[in-house]
Amino acid sequence: MNSNLQKTYDGLLVKAKEIAVLQSTEAIVTWDMETKMPPKALNLRSQQIALLEVIGHKMLTDPALGKTIEGIEKDPGYYELDRAQKRNVYLAKKAYDESTKLPEELVFETAKQQTIAVGVWKKAKAAKDYKMFKPELKKMIELRMKAADILMGVKGTKTPYDALLDAFESKMTADNITKVFDGMRVGLIDVMKKVEKADKPDTSILSSPVPVETQKKISDAAMEFIGYDTKSPNAGGRLDETEHPFTTGYYDDVRITTHYHEDRWPSSLYSVLHEGGHAMYEQGLPQEWMYQPIGSSASFGIHESQSRFVENMVGHSPEFLSYMLPKLKKIVGKPLRGVKLADFVAAVNVVEPSKIRIEADEVTYGLHIIIRFEMERDIFAGKLKVDELPHAWNEKYDKYLGVEIENDSEGVMQDTHWAGGLYGYFPSYALGNIYGGMFLKKLKRDAPTWKRELKKGNFQPVKGWLVENIHSKGNLYDPADLVKEVTGENLTVKPFINYLEKKYAKVYGF
Amino acid sequence: MNSNLQKTYDGLLVKAKEIAVLQSTEAIVTWDMETKMPPKALNLRSQQIALLEVIGHKMLTDPALGKTIEGIEKDPGYYELDRAQKRNVYLAKKAYDESTKLPEELVFETAKQQTIAVGVWKKAKAAKDYKMFKPELKKMIELRMKAADILMGVKGTKTPYDALLDAFESKMTADNITKVFDGMRVGLIDVMKKVEKADKPDTSILSSPVPVETQKKISDAAMEFIGYDTKSPNAGGRLDETEHPFTTGYYDDVRITTHYHEDRWPSSLYSVLHEGGHAMYEQGLPQEWMYQPIGSSASFGIHESQSRFVENMVGHSPEFLSYMLPKLKKIVGKPLRGVKLADFVAAVNVVEPSKIRIEADEVTYGLHIIIRFEMERDIFAGKLKVDELPHAWNEKYDKYLGVEIENDSEGVMQDTHWAGGLYGYFPSYALGNIYGGMFLKKLKRDAPTWKRELKKGNFQPVKGWLVENIHSKGNLYDPADLVKEVTGENLTVKPFINYLEKKYAKVYGF
């Protein structure tokens, strides 16, 4: 690198570091709000977060940053930059372009409307009154449509909705998703139907009351199993309790939360495994890329693939459960006394079409996502009006899942995402499963003994593979490229469906 | 106010709010570092705090802020501003002038030297090796001397040390402190000597082991007593554990910490009362001044007066203890069985000259402070060299407290303040006691039944008086003016000494 380019490039890294450090600060302040903050502080906290947002926006849209990026790109030495350096420049430019092209009034109005719409959504949901929610939802969609129109130009996507998708899954398009989701729908419904014909497992063992203090010991065991360290003198994690589990943080400070339901004790075990999977990803990013744009996850979907891999492909596997059940019996005592492994495996792998996405099992979950994706796609293509959403929703739930929605609170108003303007986010949840299926197929080839090792309580083959193939690559690739790089295949739902077929055939004996 | 001035003044409040919100954010991030942060995150956290410092410094030194202040001062309508508005302008100008006049290299080098000197201090203290610490201390003093020389010009103080004092006690001078401390020294030594002649109380009841869980219930009782709310749906406080107790936060989010010593259980009771006193002050600031310069405490010494008032004048009083002892007996059980009130009061009010400031009692504490103040004053007047500090220290401990210092780790190196460059801070600790004595005298006149009410468990007369006379005045006055406004008197140590004389005469029967 010539010395002038080196100087400009170093300047870019300095600015990128400021942004990363600021964002990691905001993560801590937000974590505190969810976990420790005295309730009276809510208004003050919203001022603090708003200020950090304003400062961050100033950093992201600083004209000096734009000049630095331009300087690098126009430098004759640009082509000698290595892949990581080029990707840093690309990611910085992408963030800069997107931030500078959205008018501040639109950003401001959207933020305001988010607060309003989420507030009204809460009330409307409680009152089961979609009419109350409708005008705010309509305005929210219009605002996001405006942003999507602008971003479509910046990103060069084919449709406005593709521009929204791109924020969560870079370069992913509705066409691609439609193709892969169509296959997934067929595959999932097929597995679901087969399961429906088999005997229902007895899930009552999962609902015996287990005290919170006991469940905490299960969490400890789960964290120890995956090597998520919250206790050593060099620990980089911690576990707290919140209403909804989440993961947040950056590199050396990645925190997870769980929720203890006394009458559904496996819920906390699996949320710890799920969030632990997210945390492992953040902690596994290359140390030397810390504070750089490439020192981040590849996409929301890839992130979700990591959490679901640990929660489902590992955590719900007969092999893991065969290792874990004796330990759980020791911790839990009476509620698990005499329970047989096969019955336990069947119980935690129960499949049941339901109305509520966040309570869905591994098989039906994707169907919930497909419904939201298809509706979002049609809304932003102008084919589906806000008036028609409840009807469209209920029809799809009947058609895909065979369940009847009785009111809009358990229907179109069940999730907060649309009130919050998060259009384009839902597909990432299901893409996580699809990526995970592809990774699993490759893992089997690369580390054929992984299941045998799991049975012995050894998570290392899986973890090592994930770190080497996914975590260590940070944000070097767009998600589809990463998947191709790792597996050699283009995006396909087949491995995920195969995995489900095989596991449920074994568990349910079909 | 004319509309032009109104606009400029409102602009000042907008900038002041940004600064206040940023500082309150830094307080939360620092709190997290001390209480919840995973250990691995230390380096990342130092980057986060450094960034917030840089951003805050930019806000404080923003030329636009200087112009806004100048615009208000030069406006013909300035003289129509009310007292609170003028004070806001004054405080903003003071902060602006001080921040802009210190060269950035000096600020940067001082921050760097703080880290280095504190690090070396820790090692030197462990090794009992003053020689190791000396060069870093010398450099730290030189850097603060440079700053003091500049600030002397900005603030118009008589000496450089007065400029340092001003940062903690606005407008206070070494001459004034010397006068009042000379009186305090005579008074304290007099009480100490009288106590020494009396029978020593039996303090063994204070060192019976009490489990942490039990001590937590004592903390709850103490917080309930003073009305520091950590539990209601509108709570604005919380209690956590740290090595050294502290208070931090802003208005609706003010947090305290304590430390549980199993073999010294009253330590946590009194640290909760002490920090609770600090927290009450922050929470008692006028809500309508939130985010304004006047919406802050009057000084470090006034802050300390509030914590010590609650800890000592209330918490160590026979009346409070007569109410509290039966409750403590219920909570603690065996270790307090059969203990008589008079013996308990005598035990917690034990007076004993010692080497370590932070373990000192109410009477000898001031003598520790006088020693540090006299030395700082002489160092910055060029009369005392870094080489001579251990000797000067040991001589004063012998002369004032009659204790022999055996090594510099229990002597001149016992506190972290000098390593951290905090010269001029120590006097505030003792001024807090002196202010407290003056407030007590006035409280007796304004609410003569306060002790009777304490005995009944009613803290309201005291709290109400403190809120009305101190908290509600925020930073409207410099500390000496506030004291005069509240008590009608100029700074005097007499009420504090009278209070000690009277209490200890009663407790020790002299």
Side-chain angles (χ1 to χ4, degrees), chain A residues 320-385:
Chain A
F320 168 77
L321 292 168
S322 118
Y323 167 76
M324 206 62 183
L325 184 58
K327 301 206 171 301
L328 292 173
K329 283 183 172 180
K330 258 192 206 155
I331 298 171
V332 169
K334 210 176 148 201
L336 279 179
R337 201 168 293 160
V339 170
K340 280 182 203 144
L341 178 62
D343 294 336
F344 189 65
V345 171
V348 301
N349 280 294
V350 68
V351 173
E352 202 142 31
S354 68
K355 298 170 186 171
I356 307 297
R357 175 183 61 90
I358 59 167
E359 293 165 9
D361 54 78
E362 207 183 355
V363 178
T364 59
Y365 188 89
L367 297 170
H368 291 265
I369 296 302
I370 290 172
I371 292 170
R372 285 149 180 80
F373 163 69
E374 290 179 352
M375 288 177 71
E376 285 186 354
R377 183 193 58 195
D378 294 349
I379 290 168
F380 282 89
K383 292 181 191 162
L384 188 59
K385 300 275 168 282

Side-chain angles (χ1 to χ4, degrees), chain B residues 198-447:
Chain B
D199 291 340
K200 278 240 162 322
D202 173 13
T203 57
S204 65
I205 40 171
L206 309 180
S207 51
S208 312
V210 172
V212 171
E213 285 312 311
T214 309
Q215 292 192 41
K216 284 187 179 170
K217 287 180 196 149
I218 300 178
S219 295
D220 284 343
M223 291 188 292
E224 204 191 316
F225 181 83
I226 61 171
Y228 175 67
D229 182 7
T230 63
K231 292 188 171 165
S232 86
N234 197 33
R238 56 176 287 133
L239 172 67
D240 293 87
E241 290 173 56
T242 52
E243 183 62 30
H244 299 288
F246 67 88
T247 304
T248 192
Y250 189 67
Y251 271 92
D252 297 336
D253 187 354
V254 181
R255 309 176 183 196
I256 67 172
T257 72
T258 189
H259 189 93
Y260 296 109
H261 302 272
E262 295 229 357
D263 57 347
R264 277 192 286 146
W265 65 267
S267 161
S268 63
L269 165 63
Y270 284 115
S271 76
V272 166
L273 289 175
H274 181 98
E275 304 306 334
H278 280 305
M280 267 170 50
Y281 189 7
E282 292 292 327
Q283 294 183 331
L285 296 171
Q287 203 65 37
E288 66 272 24
W289 292 351
M290 192 171 178
Y291 306 126
Q292 298 183 25
I294 52 173
S296 62
S297 60
S299 77
F300 282 80
I302 298 293
H303 229 304
E304 204 62 20
S305 79
Q306 300 307 290
S307 56
R308 283 162 191 269
F309 205 99
V310 178
E311 177 192 1
N312 293 330
M313 280 132 176
V314 170
H316 282 77
S317 70
E319 292 77 13
F320 169 76
L321 293 167
S322 116
Y323 167 77
M324 207 62 182
L325 184 57
K327 300 204 171 302
L328 292 173
K329 283 183 172 180
K330 259 193 205 154
I331 298 170
V332 169
K334 208 176 150 202
L336 279 179
R337 200 167 293 158
V339 170
K340 279 183 202 144
L341 178 62
D343 295 335
F344 190 65
V345 171
V348 300
N349 280 293
V350 68
V351 173
E352 201 142 30
S354 69
K355 297 169 187 173
I356 306 297
R357 175 182 63 88
I358 59 166
E359 293 166 8
D361 55 77
E362 205 181 355
V363 176
T364 59
Y365 188 88
L367 298 170
H368 291 264
I369 296 302
I370 290 171
I371 291 170
R372 286 149 179 80
F373 162 69
E374 290 178 352
M375 289 177 69
E376 285 187 353
R377 183 194 58 195
D378 294 349
I379 290 168
F380 282 89
K383 292 181 192 164
L384 187 60
K385 300 273 169 284
V386 176
D387 275 326
E388 305 162 342
L389 297 186
H391 180 71
W393 182 284
N394 299 353
E395 216 172 42
K396 281 178 194 287
Y397 263 82
D398 180 36
K399 194 170 152 199
Y400 299 165
L401 282 148
V403 302
E404 195 191 332
I405 303 299
E406 281 166 42
N407 63 66
D408 295 331
S409 297
E410 58 176 38
V412 69
M413 290 197 296
Q414 75 176 249
D415 293 316
T416 181
H417 300 57
W418 287 354
L422 281 175
Y423 311 108
Y425 186 16
F426 278 118
S428 294
Y429 288 120
L431 287 168
N433 283 334
I434 295 170
Y435 300 147
M438 296 177 72
F439 295 151
L440 181 69
K441 185 177 161 189
K442 187 66 181 7
L443 166 68
K444 276 182 188 163
R445 240 180 291 151
D446 292 347

Side-chain angles (χ1 to χ4, degrees), chain A residues 24-177:
Chain A
S24 72
T25 307
E26 194 176 329
I28 291 303
V29 171
T30 306
W31 173 87
D32 181 82
M33 179 169 72
E34 301 292 339
T35 55
K36 306 294 171 191
M37 186 185 81
K40 199 178 184 184
L42 194 59
N43 190 284
L44 170 60
R45 183 55 47 92
S46 74
Q47 307 273 350
Q48 293 166 335
I49 290 176
L51 178 63
L52 294 178
E53 286 280 332
V54 167
I55 294 169
H57 188 254
K58 264 189 203 148
M59 288 177 176
L60 272 170
T61 58
D62 182 2
L65 173 61
K67 266 186 207 152
T68 301
I69 296 167
E70 206 188 331
I72 297 170
E73 287 187 328
K74 289 197 174 156
D75 193 286
Y78 172 77
Y79 292 97
E80 291 161 34
L81 295 185
D82 66 23
R83 171 189 280 278
Q85 291 166 331
K86 283 205 186 96
R87 181 76 178 174
N88 270 331
V89 178
Y90 167 81
L91 291 171
K93 183 175 162 59
K94 190 174 180 190
Y96 177 76
D97 285 346
E98 290 175 21
S99 307
T100 47
K101 295 293 153 43
L102 287 181
E104 283 199 25
E105 317 90 71
L106 181 59
V107 173
F108 179 74
E109 219 192 328
T110 306
K112 221 176 69 187
Q113 181 60 15
Q114 277 172 337
T115 312
I116 294 168
V118 170
V120 171
W121 166 75
K122 273 185 196 159
K123 279 183 206 155
K125 187 176 175 181
K128 297 177 186 157
D129 184 358
Y130 179 72
K131 252 189 232 144
M132 190 197 288
F133 179 44
K134 211 174 60 179
E136 302 307 336
L137 177 62
K138 190 157 178 275
K139 190 168 172 198
M140 192 75 237
I141 291 171
E142 283 163 5
L143 286 167
R144 291 307 291 150
M145 182 59 117
K146 269 190 204 168
D149 276 334
I150 296 166
L151 291 173
M152 187 171 84
V154 181
K155 299 175 186 234
T157 60
K158 208 178 84 180
T159 67
Y161 185 55
D162 281 354
L164 297 180
L165 284 171
D166 183 82
F168 305 101
E169 289 310 287
S170 193
K171 299 273 167 56
M172 196 62 72
T173 65
D175 282 353
N176 281 335
I177 294 175

Side-chain angles (χ1 to χ4, degrees), chain B residues 140-150 160-161 164 379-382:
Chain B
M140 193 74 238
I141 290 172
E142 283 164 5
L143 286 167
R144 291 306 292 151
M145 182 60 116
K146 269 189 204 167
D149 276 335
I150 295 165
Y161 185 55
L164 297 180
I379 290 168
F380 282 89

Side-chain angles (χ1 to χ4, degrees), chain B residues 119-171:
Chain B
V120 172
W121 165 76
K122 272 184 197 161
K123 280 183 204 156
K125 188 177 173 181
K128 298 178 186 156
D129 184 357
Y130 179 72
K131 253 189 231 142
M132 189 197 289
F133 180 42
K134 211 174 62 178
E136 302 308 336
L137 177 61
K138 192 156 177 274
K139 190 169 171 198
M140 193 74 238
I141 290 172
E142 283 164 5
L143 286 167
R144 291 306 292 151
M145 182 60 116
K146 269 189 204 167
D149 276 335
I150 295 165
L151 291 173
M152 187 171 85
V154 181
K155 297 174 186 234
T157 59
K158 211 177 83 182
T159 68
Y161 185 55
D162 282 354
L164 297 180
L165 284 171
D166 184 82
F168 305 101
E169 285 316 283
S170 192
K171 298 272 167 55

